[in-house]
Amino acid sequence: MTQAATSSTLAVPAVGSVPRHVAIIMDGNGRWATKRFMPRVAGHSEGLEAVRKVVEECVKQNVEYLTLFAFSSENWRRPPEEVGFLTKLFLKSLRKEVARLAENNIRLKMIGDLSRFGSAITEMVEFSEEKTKDCNRLTLTIAANYGGRWDILQAMQKALAQNPHLDPDGISEEWLAPHLSMAYAPEPDLFIRTGGEQRVSNFLLWQLAYTELYFTDILWPDFDAAELQKAFLWYAQRERRFGRTSAQLAEGSNPISLSDAV
Ligand code: IPE
Ligand code: IPE
Ligand code: MG
């Protein structure tokens, strides 16, 4: 657990050629459907197929954590019919897939303020997390009604509630990080955004501090194992310096903690 929560700004994490944690903004569903003269929501249904393919490939490649952005805290601004469709699709697929996740030894976690989706979803999420809690092949996290700023603020509220008389000097990464919604996972090594936009859209703001950012024009429903392999190849060629120089890396100073360096 301690190892999982290592901070990339306090210590240099161990780096392998395959990312340990992959975080994806699954974007482009609407455009995929519009291009085919279909309603936008048809793109969301098709996007589920891509989710299956990517989960399967991550298992094959021994990725430990896969985090998917399904619905942002800003997506409530969409037409109510689209929001309603997404909510129903989410509930339906959770009901359909949970047994299969458990069979495949995949632990499901949800992050985001789920209360706004209503009790059918919160109860199903609770059931699914409980059913898969001991699975350890891959941790699949779905972010729904999630926002990076919300995450930092909710962590701050929880941390302060535990220690209301805290001296401001006591505020540190170690003080806040255990309350962030992904405290159980290492920071993402690789971020992927499909659909051509090059922005973070309020995804894991804190956790992306040293993540490698990969953008592709492929629309999410067209993303598959081969596209994921391309992203992994790109990732394997990155030099992850975490503030150090290339020469230091060549000397093999990885991993190292900040306290070792001073
Ligand atoms: C991403 O696809 C899925 C969600 C945000 C739920 P979009 O629906 O944003 O698709 P585009 O960007 O409009 O094509
Ligand atoms: C980001 O996609 C959120 C999800 C994929 C769930 P959006 O399509 O909502 O992002 P913006 O609005 O284009 O930045
Ligand atoms: Mg979009």
Side-chain angles (χ1 to χ4, degrees):
M1 190 60 180
T2 325
Q3 197 210 349
T6 297
S7 156
S8 59
T9 45
L10 297 181
V12 176
V15 167
S17 56
V18 173
R20 203 177 156 204
H21 182 176
V22 181
I24 308 184
I25 297 190
M26 312 181 288
D27 197 19
N29 293 350
R31 279 165 286 162
W32 182 93
T34 305
K35 262 172 59 180
R36 287 164 178 75
F37 307 102
M38 288 152 87
R40 287 179 50 84
V41 294
H44 298 317
S45 304
E46 192 64 25
L48 269 183
E49 292 306 314
V51 170
R52 281 194 197 97
K53 290 176 193 163
V54 164
V55 169
E56 212 172 282
E57 186 61 19
C58 281
V59 168
K60 270 194 206 152
Q61 303 255 4
N62 295 319
V63 169
E64 291 171 60
Y65 298 87
L66 171 65
T67 303
L68 302 175
F69 205 4
F71 192 89
S72 74
S73 42
E74 289 71 43
N75 285 146
W76 296 104
R77 296 169 178 159
R78 294 194 176 194
E81 310 77 56
E82 183 169 339
V83 172
F85 182 92
L86 281 166
T87 312
K88 281 196 204 96
L89 183 69
F90 177 59
L91 187 58
K92 202 171 94 185
S93 31
L94 207 52
R95 283 187 178 135
K96 198 170 148 218
E97 302 291 339
V98 65
R100 197 139 53 123
L101 289 176
E103 270 165 37
N104 288 297
N105 202 11
I106 297 171
R107 173 170 72 142
L108 182 77
K109 298 281 271 181
M110 296 284 308
I111 54 168
D113 182 4
L114 296 181
S115 61
R116 191 160 168 190
F117 290 112
S119 59
I121 289 209
T122 47
E123 281 162 22
M124 190 59 207
V125 165
E126 213 173 293
F127 170 80
S128 311
E129 286 187 337
E130 178 61 26
K131 194 171 167 65
T132 61
K133 73 175 191 315
D134 296 323
C135 298
N136 57 15
R137 185 86 169 92
L138 170 77
T139 297
L140 171 64
T141 301
I142 308 288
N145 192 20
Y146 177 87
R149 290 187 182 177
W150 165 84
D151 196 2
I152 295 167
L153 291 175
Q154 69 79 29
M156 196 65 95
Q157 285 166 351
K158 282 187 187 147
L160 275 174
Q162 278 189 6
N163 201 343
H165 305 298
L166 182 81
D167 181 324
D169 289 342
I171 295 178
S172 65
E173 278 200 34
E174 292 94 334
W175 173 78
L176 189 70
H179 302 284
L180 290 164
S181 47
M182 290 214 77
Y184 55 86
E187 293 170 24
D189 300 291
L190 174 64
F191 160 99
I192 298 174
R193 182 173 187 143
T194 62
E197 308 298 348
Q198 303 203 352
R199 54 179 172 251
V200 174
S201 298
N202 199 16
F203 197 22
L204 302 158
L205 298 180
W206 176 283
Q207 297 84 346
L208 292 176
Y210 268 104
T211 305
E212 300 296 330
L213 307 177
Y214 178 86
F215 298 95
T216 169
D217 288 337
I218 301 282
L219 302 173
W220 177 250
D222 293 326
F223 198 83
D224 58 12
E227 289 299 331
L228 189 69
Q229 286 160 13
K230 260 195 232 171
F232 282 13
L233 265 178
W234 174 89
Y235 171 80
Q237 287 157 14
R238 307 270 60 81
E239 185 179 62
R240 302 195 69 194
R241 292 191 287 274
F242 298 98
R244 296 162 299 168
T245 66
S246 291
Q248 285 176 297
L249 269 135
E251 284 159 18
S253 61
N254 177 40
I256 178 184
S257 74
L258 273 190
S259 48
D260 291 342
V262 288

